[in-house]
Amino acid sequence: MHALLPTSTVGSLPKPSWLSEPETLWSPWRLAGDALVEGKQDALRIAVHEQVNRGIDIVSDGEQTRQHFVTTFIEHLGGVDFERRETVRIRNRYDASVPTVVGEVSRENPVFVEDAKFLRRQTDRPIKWALPGPMTMIDTLSDRHYQSREKLAWEFAKILNQEAKDLEAAGVDIIQFDEPAFNVYFDEMRDWGVAALEQAAEGLRAETVVHICYGYGIKANNDWKATLGSEWRQYEESFPLLQQSTLDIVSLESHNSNVPVDLIELLRGKKVMLGAIDVANSAIETPEEVAGTLRKALQFVDADKLIPSTNCGMAPFARDVAFKKLSALSAGASILREELTRVKV
């Protein structure tokens, strides 16, 4: 792994067409039973192979073994009825049919540990595993039991902490919590959201990441972003709190966005996982474009704390597009790495 500017993906990669519908977010599986288990593992192997061959330093599972970044975790928990579905507003952006909390939520068994062990066996590079954050979990459910978003979030935080510790024991080096809800519910984030996230990460020796972005490049998200004006300053609400938090790394969207790059200064002292690959546009970035995005960020984050990454997951892309974008990310980081090395000499 490169000690300087180690590259990483943030979330999902496209699945093979024999496993699920191509270029479709959260597509149903095309296999079942033992064939599905085998197919997921084969897809995970491919994801690791592509990341390594394209120069990605911190390897993930590409979410090959799960349909949805939130509900695949929740469906393994007790207290949630997936047959009883209700329509809720997701992050004040779009309506969705979601499962319902009908009793105390619980985790009887680890959810992703066996998949994480399988990932660990595929590579000797550092590996990262993503979990949904507590606030984003409660925003993807209907709650008929706790009747309190805060109470439910704290219960999920305890469960996430159990899962994260088991993932750490399975060999995961970096554990990421996805909290796109932090870009929407500012009062809740300040009042208890960051504290609940810290509870989810409590006691971990593995490095911890909180990922906050503006979402996949789907219509609902793109329409929302079109309303945000010429400057997207939502991070101004979360970054000062996260800078003071126990989380090690903050992951943010940057390339081709209207996020002012100087907001990164609010994270001074933390590691920054900077999105230098656009996930809302299938155009392949040039290595120089990637280097340019990273170069601008160096005004506000020290080079030894910068981790080049994608803005978000790339599941909706064609596979060749996603993999070419990974190559561009690696090549762009290499350009800047060589520049920084020459400066030192």
Side-chain angles (χ1 to χ4, degrees):
M1 181 178 107
H2 292 103
L4 187 64
L5 306 182
T7 53
S8 177
T9 62
V10 160
S12 59
L13 293 171
K15 296 180 178 71
S17 59
W18 40 261
L19 186 59
S20 68
E21 183 72 24
E23 300 178 48
T24 303
L25 201 57
W26 309 321
S27 170
W29 302 117
R30 286 181 160 175
L31 303 174
D34 291 343
L36 177 58
V37 173
E38 184 177 278
K40 288 178 178 179
Q41 291 184 341
D42 287 344
L44 199 156
R45 284 192 189 94
I46 293 168
V48 171
H49 172 81
E50 292 290 352
Q51 288 174 81
V52 170
N53 279 7
R54 293 171 187 274
I56 300 302
D57 298 298
I58 301 167
V59 175
S60 80
D61 66 321
E63 299 182 13
Q64 298 297 292
T65 63
R66 38 189 150 163
Q67 280 183 299
H68 190 283
F69 80 109
V70 180
T71 55
T72 296
F73 183 68
I74 293 173
E75 68 188 14
H76 290 84
L77 306 181
V80 183
D81 188 343
F82 272 72
E83 297 301 316
R84 180 178 173 181
R85 305 188 73 87
E86 299 185 14
T87 298
V88 302
R89 194 78 174 164
I90 303 291
R91 290 189 285 286
N92 285 336
R93 232 169 289 166
Y94 56 93
D95 293 331
S97 174
V98 300
T100 302
V101 178
V102 295
E104 292 187 11
V105 292
S106 62
R107 168 187 173 272
E108 301 304 320
N109 298 294
V111 178
F112 293 132
V113 167
E114 291 307 312
D115 292 335
K117 288 179 179 177
F118 186 83
L119 172 60
R120 178 71 284 171
R121 293 195 294 271
Q122 308 310 307
T123 180
D124 57 3
R125 297 191 180 190
I127 61 172
K128 178 165 69 72
W129 199 274
L131 295 171
M135 183 176 284
T136 297
M137 288 177 73
I138 65 172
D139 198 48
T140 319
L141 290 167
S142 174
D143 174 23
R144 294 295 179 178
H145 178 74
Y146 294 92
Q147 298 292 301
S148 165
R149 285 167 63 87
E150 181 178 358
K151 287 181 182 178
L152 182 55
W154 281 107
E155 292 304 312
F156 279 144
K158 296 173 190 174
I159 288 171
L160 286 165
N161 188 246
Q162 296 167 0
E163 181 76 10
K165 286 179 177 176
D166 284 341
L167 288 169
E168 178 183 81
V172 174
D173 302 288
I174 301 172
I175 295 173
Q176 174 179 308
F177 297 95
D178 294 327
E179 280 288 25
F182 276 11
N183 258 356
V184 179
Y185 304 112
F186 302 127
D187 289 343
E188 290 181 324
M189 178 196 65
R190 285 189 293 268
D191 292 346
W192 49 262
V194 172
L197 179 62
E198 288 182 311
Q199 171 65 48
E202 186 179 27
L204 294 173
R205 295 181 302 278
E207 283 197 294
T208 54
V209 184
V210 54
H211 169 61
I212 315 169
C213 70
Y214 291 79
Y216 285 109
I218 59 176
K219 186 179 186 303
N221 292 334
N222 292 339
D223 289 349
W224 172 61
K225 287 188 278 191
T227 70
L228 300 181
S230 59
E231 283 197 343
W232 302 350
R233 305 196 70 89
Q234 284 74 18
Y235 289 138
E236 212 162 33
E237 303 284 343
S238 59
F239 283 1
L241 300 174
L242 293 170
Q243 196 277 334
Q244 296 293 320
S245 75
T246 58
L247 278 291
D248 300 306
I249 305 167
V250 179
S251 167
L252 65 136
E253 179 172 328
S254 182
H255 186 65
N256 277 358
S257 77
N258 291 335
V259 175
V261 70
D262 61 354
L263 293 183
I264 299 170
E265 179 65 40
L266 298 173
L267 295 169
R268 182 69 72 175
K270 292 288 187 185
K271 289 185 178 181
V272 172
M273 186 176 289
L274 188 81
I277 294 292
D278 187 5
V279 301
N281 190 322
S282 61
I284 311 299
E285 290 81 359
T286 67
E288 185 50 53
E289 284 177 321
V290 172
T293 297
L294 300 172
R295 201 178 287 119
K296 291 174 185 176
L298 287 178
Q299 302 172 71
F300 309 104
V301 57
D302 296 338
D304 63 352
K305 294 185 181 297
L306 182 60
I307 303 170
S309 70
T310 57
N311 278 350
C312 188
M314 296 195 289
F317 283 142
R319 295 176 81 204
D320 65 325
V321 169
F323 295 150
K324 286 176 181 177
K325 281 177 173 280
L326 292 186
S327 294
L329 176 64
S330 177
S334 181
I335 289 172
L336 190 55
R337 200 178 292 121
E338 290 174 8
E339 289 178 8
L340 293 170
T341 301
R342 287 199 301 270
V343 169
K344 285 185 179 181
V345 173

